[in-house]
Amino acid sequence: KEQMTNNNSNKTPQELTNWRKEIDKIDTMIMEQIAQRVEVVKQVGEYKKENNMPFLDVKRKNQLLKHKVELAKEKNLIK
């Protein structure tokens, strides 16, 4: 059950509405960033294909994963 500040009203408290709007804005920014990333990944793929390079660089993958885990820890996303 959702709890309401005022049980006699179906109105969402303004503070909650503001947080939801902020989350929506952040979600839009995340999607825009993902779209940009996808375009760059496509360019990398084309470059590798044109230059007969392997699709996967295991050393780079491992470095990236390590870095991303460290970043997630810094941001308190994981322990």
Side-chain angles (χ1 to χ4, degrees):
K1 282 184 174 179
E2 289 185 29
Q3 292 183 343
M4 298 296 240
T5 303
N6 182 348
N7 290 333
N8 297 328
S9 172
N10 288 331
K11 292 183 180 178
T12 303
Q14 188 60 43
E15 190 174 33
L16 182 57
T17 298
N18 291 341
W19 288 330
R20 288 176 174 168
K21 286 179 183 179
E22 187 173 352
I23 289 169
D24 291 345
K25 286 179 188 177
I26 293 167
D27 287 346
T28 298
M29 290 173 14
I30 290 169
M31 295 306 285
E32 289 170 354
Q33 292 288 307
I34 290 171
Q36 288 177 348
R37 187 182 191 284
V38 166
E39 290 306 312
V40 174
V41 167
K42 287 178 184 178
Q43 292 173 357
V44 169
E46 285 299 314
Y47 179 86
K48 286 183 171 187
K49 183 178 178 181
E50 290 169 4
N51 291 280
N52 297 316
M53 297 173 73
F55 172 73
L56 180 62
D57 181 341
V58 176
K59 183 178 178 183
R60 176 162 167 72
K61 181 187 107 177
N62 291 335
Q63 289 172 338
L64 285 173
L65 288 174
K66 182 180 177 186
H67 174 72
K68 301 306 178 198
V69 168
E70 290 171 0
L71 183 59
K73 287 179 181 178
E74 288 175 17
K75 301 296 182 183
N76 295 315
L77 298 174
I78 61 174
K79 292 184 179 183

